[in-house]
Amino acid sequence: MEEIKKFMYYMCSDWSLNEANRLFGPLGPHVWDRMFRPSGTKRDLLEFFGSLDSNKQQAIVDRVHELYD
């Protein structure tokens, strides 16, 4: 349960375009844009996370551990 709390805190408080750039370099803006639907509305966090490949998911999980463990 603690893992989920940390993930949600990160995604709601610290996730940003700067974080996307830090984690994914030149792909950062693309990953950030995936957070939003074509209409410009924000996606559900789990929908967004699930839309990423396993490497990108792992990068986010590793960053959560880096910040909060």
Side-chain angles (χ1 to χ4, degrees), residues 8-68:
M8 294 301 289
Y9 184 82
Y10 174 73
M11 294 305 294
C12 293
S13 300
D14 294 321
W15 179 247
S16 64
L17 178 56
N18 286 339
E19 277 290 298
N21 288 335
R22 182 186 190 288
L23 292 179
F24 306 114
L27 291 176
H30 170 72
V31 174
W32 175 254
D33 287 344
R34 289 184 70 173
M35 181 79 173
F36 302 93
R37 292 187 175 95
S39 64
T41 60
K42 199 170 186 179
R43 289 173 122 181
D44 176 81
L45 291 177
L46 295 179
E47 178 187 1
F48 164 71
F49 189 75
S51 76
L52 301 174
D53 65 44
S54 60
N55 291 331
K56 288 179 183 66
Q57 290 176 349
Q58 190 62 52
I60 290 173
V61 169
D62 292 345
R63 180 68 170 150
V64 168
H65 285 291
E66 180 183 330
L67 291 173
Y68 305 117

